Amino acid sequence: MSLDVPADLLARAEAGPVDDADFIAVVRDSLPYAWEVISSVATSVDGSGFADNEVPPPSEAERGQLLRALASDSIRGGLERHFGVKLAFQNCHRVAAFTPSAVDSDRYRAFISPRGQLLNQSPELRDC
């Protein structure tokens, strides 16, 4: 299970839409390591519109949090809306944030390209 959803929020979701603030609170509380990494990257975007984290997670549990957060369209989209950035992801741990204006930049295109993925490989990351 990716998220620990309080019973009252689950009941509201069963009855209709929920707002982003409630959803983001569940993500923050359920995936604390992913929240820490993504919020750090998102709030560290530099003048070029880019910031990233290249530090591998301390354990597979934390790596799993990043995978769950960034593999889910709804979680990833909620985080992007909350922080006002576009997230990009490589190698089960390298999270990058781009400002909306940097999404069409050379740096963004290089980061998300097949070449960028290939150049960011190492034997240590083979099983991630």
Side-chain angles (χ1 to χ4, degrees):
M1 179 165 54
S2 293
L3 301 176
D4 183 18
V5 183
D8 65 318
L9 183 57
L10 184 56
R12 284 190 283 148
E14 289 170 347
V18 295
D19 64 25
D20 263 0
D22 290 333
F23 180 64
I24 289 300
V26 169
V27 171
R28 180 192 64 230
D29 296 344
S30 299
L31 305 172
Y33 177 80
W35 176 266
E36 177 185 323
V37 170
I38 293 166
S39 64
S40 175
V41 169
T43 59
S44 299
V45 173
D46 64 19
S48 71
F50 169 81
D52 72 339
N53 173 66
E54 296 185 83
V55 179
S59 75
E60 288 305 308
E62 284 87 358
R63 185 182 317 278
Q65 286 188 32
L66 281 176
L67 290 172
R68 288 193 303 277
L70 294 164
S72 165
D73 289 341
S74 59
I75 295 173
R76 185 182 194 146
L79 291 166
E80 289 175 337
R81 287 187 302 277
H82 178 77
F83 290 110
V85 297
K86 175 70 173 162
L87 297 171
F89 189 49
Q90 289 181 345
N91 288 348
C92 305
H93 74 270
R94 188 171 181 204
V95 179
F98 293 85
T99 60
S101 62
V103 170
D104 196 35
S105 68
D106 290 341
R107 188 174 210 170
Y108 176 77
R109 287 191 300 275
F111 190 92
I112 66 164
S113 72
R115 180 177 185 258
Q117 182 69 44
L118 292 171
L119 293 173
N120 197 34
Q121 299 302 297
S122 71
E124 300 82 33
L125 300 174
R126 175 91 50 192
D127 68 347
C128 79

